[in-house]
């Protein structure tokens, strides 16, 4: 059972959907945005570990078969790309800054998605998730029922729309998924 997994791993069952926090950009305007804009071409050119996702597929991008223009077509056709931030990426310094703040190594990924795209199916993570919306809008569906042991027994969900500059915190163990918001061509 998930509850015993979390109790064993973390000393307590930490699946606490009531602690999901959505900070809208207009509520935190006095804090400068840590990242402005998104440079897909830069990440495409500097990273060889891009995972392509359409409806949960896990194909690795082969740049010999898909140049940048075809990559953009893939995204505009409803695809998603998960790009881990690694040394050499233009966002790597930002990742290092975050690691200094949290005093630990972090996994930082960019989820770049086209119209109506959903990179990952409903799932939970075994670590806390922080999301910074860089461009476009994403609609998040997040577990609201903290007692559910599995996906099929969740009785309550909440929907949050993330806009550029918004920040979202999802505690480990809380089921969630995200999709490019209706009417948006791209979301990152």
């Amino acid at each position: 059972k998930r509850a015993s997994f979390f109790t064993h791993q973390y000393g307590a069952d930490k699946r606490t959907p009531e602690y999901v926090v959505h900070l809208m950009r207009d509520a935190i305007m006095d804090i400068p945005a840590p990242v402005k804009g998104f440079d897909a071409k830069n990440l495409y050119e500097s990273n060889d570990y891009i995972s392509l996702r359409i409806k949960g597929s896990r194909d690795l991008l082969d740049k010999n078969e898909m140049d940048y223009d075809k990559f953009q077509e893939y995204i505009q056709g409803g695809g998603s790309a998960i790009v881990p931030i690694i040394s050499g990426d233009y966002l790597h310094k930002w990742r290092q800054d975050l690691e200094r703040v949290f005093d630990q190594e972090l996994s930082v990924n960019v989820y770049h998605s086209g119209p109506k795209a959903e990179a990952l199916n409903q799932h939970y993570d075994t670590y806390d998730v922080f999301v910074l919306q860089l461009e476009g809008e994403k609609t998040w569906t997040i577990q609201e029922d903290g007692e559910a042991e599995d996906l099929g027994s969740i009785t309550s969900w909440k929907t949050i729309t993330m806009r550029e500059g918004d920040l979202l915190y999802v505690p480990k163990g809380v089921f969630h998924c995200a999709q490019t918001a209706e009417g948006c061509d791209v979301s990152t």
Side-chain angles (χ1 to χ4, degrees):
K1 287 192 166 211
R2 285 177 10 128
S4 56
F5 164 80
F6 282 95
T7 301
H8 175 75
Q9 291 293 91
Y10 307 109
D13 184 359
K14 303 268 186 183
R15 293 173 299 122
T16 51
E18 64 270 17
Y19 291 115
V20 170
V21 176
H22 176 211
L23 294 172
M24 293 180 281
R25 181 77 202 135
D26 58 351
I28 54 174
M29 288 302 280
D30 57 331
I31 300 170
V35 177
K36 291 183 181 179
F38 174 66
D39 187 348
K41 188 164 188 171
N42 184 305
L43 283 181
Y44 171 88
E45 291 173 351
S46 66
N47 197 307
D48 290 326
Y49 303 99
I50 299 172
S51 175
L52 301 176
R53 304 286 176 107
I54 290 184
K55 304 282 186 203
S57 72
R58 295 175 183 254
D59 298 329
L60 195 60
L61 173 67
D62 182 345
K63 291 183 185 176
N64 293 320
E65 295 178 10
M66 185 182 286
D67 64 15
Y68 181 72
D69 290 335
K70 287 183 181 170
F71 172 71
Q72 286 297 86
E73 287 175 23
Y74 170 83
I75 297 297
Q76 289 305 312
S80 290
I82 302 174
V83 185
I85 301 306
I86 59 173
S87 181
D89 290 339
Y90 82 100
L91 292 173
H92 188 256
K93 182 182 178 326
W94 180 64
R95 174 186 167 172
Q96 290 175 313
D97 291 344
L98 284 174
E99 290 174 338
R100 277 191 288 281
V101 167
F102 288 101
D103 194 29
Q104 63 182 336
E105 188 174 328
L106 300 174
S107 174
V108 177
N109 297 303
V110 170
Y111 289 75
H112 183 55
S113 302
K116 299 182 183 178
E118 186 175 309
L120 299 170
N121 297 326
Q122 290 175 326
H123 68 286
Y124 68 88
D125 294 299
T126 57
Y127 46 84
D128 293 329
V129 175
F130 290 89
V131 179
L132 175 63
Q133 187 70 28
L134 297 177
E135 69 175 347
E137 295 181 8
K138 231 171 226 168
T139 301
W140 285 73
T141 304
I142 301 173
Q143 172 188 1
E144 203 167 37
D145 176 1
E147 302 302 315
E149 283 296 320
D150 57 49
L151 190 57
S153 63
I154 297 173
T155 60
S156 180
W157 296 89
K158 70 174 149 186
T159 302
I160 294 172
T161 300
M162 297 276 294
R163 293 174 178 80
E164 186 175 334
D166 286 4
L167 181 66
L168 177 67
Y169 166 70
V170 181
K172 57 188 159 202
V174 176
F175 280 98
H176 60 277
C177 66
Q179 182 178 40
T180 301
E182 188 70 37
C184 285
D185 292 333
V186 71
S187 177
T188 306

